[in-house]
Amino acid sequence: MYVQELEPVAGSLGLSALVAALPLVIVLILLGGVRMKAHLAGLTGLLAAVLVAWLAYGMPLGQTVSGAAQGAAFGLFPILWIVVNALWVYRMTVRTRHFDILRRSFGRLSDDPRIQALVVAFCFGALLEALAGFGAPVAICSVMLVALGFEPVRAAVVALVANTAPVAFGAMGTPVVTLAQVTGLPLEDVASVVGRQTPLLALVVPLVLVGLVDGRRGLRETWVPAMACGVAFAVAQFAASNYVSAQLADIGAALAGAAALVAVPQARRPAAEPVRASVLTGTRSEELDEDDPRAEVVRAYAPYALIVAVFSIAQIPAVKDWLAQATQMYDWPFLNVVNADGEAVGGNVFSWPIVSTGGTLVLIAGVFTAAVIGVHARVAVKEWAATVHELRFAILTVTSVLALAYVMNLSGQAATIGHFVAAAGAGLAFLSPVLGWFGVAVSGSDTSANALFGALQVTAARESGLSPELLAAANSSGGVLGKMISPQNLTIACAAVGLAGREGDLLRKVLPWSLGLLLVMCLIVVGQSSPVLGWMLP
């Protein structure tokens, strides 16, 4: 049996926290300073965490390695199982060109570039974030906006800023699923609180987007459809994350936001020619003028409808109970850890939700998608294998980061840092989103930031008397605002629109929005930690 210690280094909490933070510091320096590849930085950080656990904390090497293996296993299933299957569905729509049909369908909704920015970058970007995440929304939406006639820099900036509100529930809820796992908090509780924070961003971001596209005139002339889109998105994201399913939050929000835009008469009016001339300074793709049969348009929307249908059926109480029965629980081998109070930690047991996990449900929807859009079984399998190959470095990154997180959590490193950080007291509520923001800005992933800092946030919250669910959620909600300034996303945006080497230009344009919205989120969390906004929490 291994008993966690909070002060293993010279009996000092401060020195112990300094040593415990070494793996995180190494990862952040390698990513942000040295610009090392994420998977190599993750593996290096994992090695550092193992050494600290073994040499400084006295955790037996066998148990340390076993803990790392469990973290990697969780990274593969259910986390990457969700991501691979979601991206597989997207790749099949690209192969059959139904994605192009969908893009043209969006282009025909309105010829007003300000409305197009909302439809493509905000609504469709959220749908892509829900299904794929990991940079796909920025790359795809940037290209689509350029095809609509947007100048490349403006297209990239709009896509980056839009990729905020949906990130916490991206890739079928992967960030919040990870957060729940590493913190030991129920997924429903974590998703519920995140769903009472990020929707507030959704109220603001559409207004920011039309302002980015057309300045004060854009706000003055299109604030009504922007607000309608934001309110519909926020309400749907809140409702789905609190009462339906965290995995469906972004899909429902994206569809609701798009429906609200279509329903507002002002959004469908032709844009004034001076507006189009001043905003659309790029070259519009002639491909957008092609006509598509109605049946093919319906098939283009079918994959997303099928995912919603499968997840909705899985939420029916009788079906949900039946799926839950298939969940397997295992005593993880070579692992026997208790905390400083002598209580067994949750990591001793490994849960394997074979059928009920989001990845399996997406896989089922993907099989139906292949049949509906006409993908042969052999081709579908080939695309699935190609998806795994495409994500090979992301797979290595996620598994190494989660292995690192598990080693830090099981050895007691995260608990030590959390007790030390708790000295911030009431100020912790303000700093909590900043920690998540910093983690995503460096790693480029809300999932990774949650894995790295989730347990730390919960420990600090309990020590300072704050709500663990609130600070855990704040880590994810603050993190979404670091996505637009992460080097990975900036590079993806530049590559997508042909601006290689101009990441610095984009950073200067999006950094003020990232910091401004982060301040808003910090104030929201501070309010929710007090009677001022405490009524918002479940």
Side-chain angles (χ1 to χ4, degrees):
M1 179 183 292
Y2 169 69
V3 181
Q4 296 176 345
E5 289 187 62
L6 293 178
E7 303 174 355
V9 182
S12 167
L13 182 62
L15 287 176
S16 298
L18 189 63
V19 172
L22 280 176
L24 296 178
V25 172
I26 288 172
V27 170
L28 297 179
I29 289 176
L30 291 179
L31 283 173
V34 182
R35 299 287 184 90
M36 181 181 284
K37 297 290 186 182
H39 63 282
L40 296 177
L43 290 170
T44 306
L46 171 59
L47 176 61
V50 168
L51 291 175
V52 170
W54 179 35
L55 299 177
Y57 278 74
M59 187 177 192
L61 186 58
Q63 294 211 47
T64 304
V65 173
S66 179
Q70 184 181 165
F74 176 72
L76 290 171
F77 191 97
I79 300 304
L80 288 163
W81 181 239
I82 297 172
V83 176
V84 167
N85 289 324
L87 193 56
W88 171 58
V89 173
Y90 162 71
R91 283 179 62 98
M92 286 194 294
T93 66
V94 171
R95 185 181 182 94
T96 59
R97 304 194 68 81
H98 283 93
F99 178 78
D100 293 331
I101 296 172
L102 191 67
R103 182 178 66 177
R104 287 193 287 271
S105 175
F106 289 156
R108 284 191 285 268
L109 288 176
S110 173
D111 71 346
D112 189 324
R114 299 163 300 190
I115 303 302
Q116 289 174 341
L118 294 177
V119 173
V120 173
F122 189 69
C123 297
F124 187 58
L127 194 59
L128 290 173
E129 183 68 37
L131 297 179
F134 292 90
V138 170
I140 294 166
C141 292
S142 297
V143 171
M144 290 177 70
L145 290 173
V146 169
L148 289 167
F150 279 68
E151 187 267 331
V153 171
R154 187 166 357 211
V157 170
V158 167
L160 285 166
V161 174
N163 191 221
T164 49
V167 169
F169 295 104
M172 307 307 294
T174 297
V176 291
V177 170
T178 303
L179 185 61
Q181 180 69 19
V182 300
T183 59
L185 299 173
L187 174 59
E188 294 77 11
D189 294 351
V190 173
S192 178
V193 179
V194 174
R196 295 162 194 249
Q197 293 172 343
T198 55
L200 299 177
L201 291 176
L203 299 175
V204 179
V205 172
L207 295 172
V208 173
L209 294 180
V210 296
L212 285 171
V213 172
D214 195 26
R216 293 182 180 177
R217 179 178 61 183
L219 282 170
R220 186 175 62 252
E221 295 180 0
T222 57
W223 69 268
V224 173
M227 280 298 297
C229 176
V231 169
F233 187 102
V235 170
Q237 191 182 60
F238 162 75
S241 60
N242 277 267
Y243 306 112
V244 183
S245 165
Q247 287 90 343
L248 284 178
D250 279 349
I251 294 178
L255 297 176
L261 271 178
V262 173
V264 176
Q266 187 175 341
R268 300 195 302 274
R269 294 172 190 159
E273 205 52 47
V275 172
R276 292 181 56 79
S278 64
V279 175
L280 299 182
T281 55
T283 304
R284 185 176 184 276
S285 173
E286 295 180 0
E287 180 191 341
L288 295 172
D289 297 324
E290 294 182 19
D291 290 327
D292 298 302
R294 184 178 296 274
E296 290 302 306
V297 174
V298 172
R299 292 172 76 190
Y301 281 91
Y304 313 104
L306 285 168
I307 289 175
V308 172
V310 170
F311 272 85
S312 298
I313 292 171
Q315 297 306 310
I316 298 173
V319 178
K320 191 172 184 178
D321 292 342
W322 178 76
L323 292 174
Q325 291 175 2
T327 299
Q328 302 292 318
M329 303 290 289
Y330 300 98
D331 288 328
W332 192 258
F334 311 112
L335 200 62
N336 185 12
V337 180
V338 297
N339 61 24
D341 296 326
E343 301 167 341
V345 301
N348 295 326
V349 178
F350 184 72
S351 174
W352 191 25
I354 304 172
V355 182
S356 60
T357 187
T360 302
L361 298 179
V362 175
L363 178 65
I364 293 170
V367 171
F368 286 116
T369 292
V372 170
I373 64 177
V375 178
H376 190 276
R378 183 182 67 257
V379 176
V381 172
K382 184 179 179 180
E383 284 297 324
W384 194 91
T387 303
V388 174
H389 182 266
E390 179 185 337
L391 290 173
R392 62 193 184 281
F393 292 119
I395 290 171
L396 191 54
T397 300
V398 171
T399 52
S400 61
V401 167
L402 279 160
L404 181 158
Y406 267 60
V407 170
M408 291 190 66
N409 295 344
L410 290 168
S411 66
Q413 294 173 60
T416 297
I417 299 172
H419 279 73
F420 182 75
V421 171
L428 189 59
F430 185 88
L431 295 175
S432 186
V434 177
L435 188 60
W437 173 86
F438 182 71
V440 176
V442 173
S443 69
S445 166
D446 201 36
T447 299
S448 296
N450 287 342
L452 291 173
F453 300 131
L456 185 158
Q457 297 267 22
V458 168
T459 301
R462 286 173 175 152
E463 287 301 304
S464 58
L466 295 172
S467 164
E469 291 81 7
L470 175 61
L471 293 201
N475 192 83
S476 192
S477 298
V480 306
L481 300 169
K483 190 91 176 209
M484 69 177 85
I485 64 168
S486 70
Q488 293 92 324
N489 254 21
L490 291 170
T491 301
I492 287 170
C494 284
V497 298
L499 296 175
R502 293 185 59 183
E503 288 86 355
D505 294 342
L506 289 187
L507 177 61
R508 283 189 290 273
K509 289 181 179 296
V510 299
L511 182 58
W513 293 109
S514 178
L515 293 175
L517 292 171
L518 174 63
L519 176 60
V520 171
M521 182 54 66
C522 289
L523 294 176
I524 289 171
V525 175
V526 169
Q528 290 179 333
S529 70
S530 70
V532 177
L533 295 179
W535 53 268
M536 292 180 62
L537 299 180

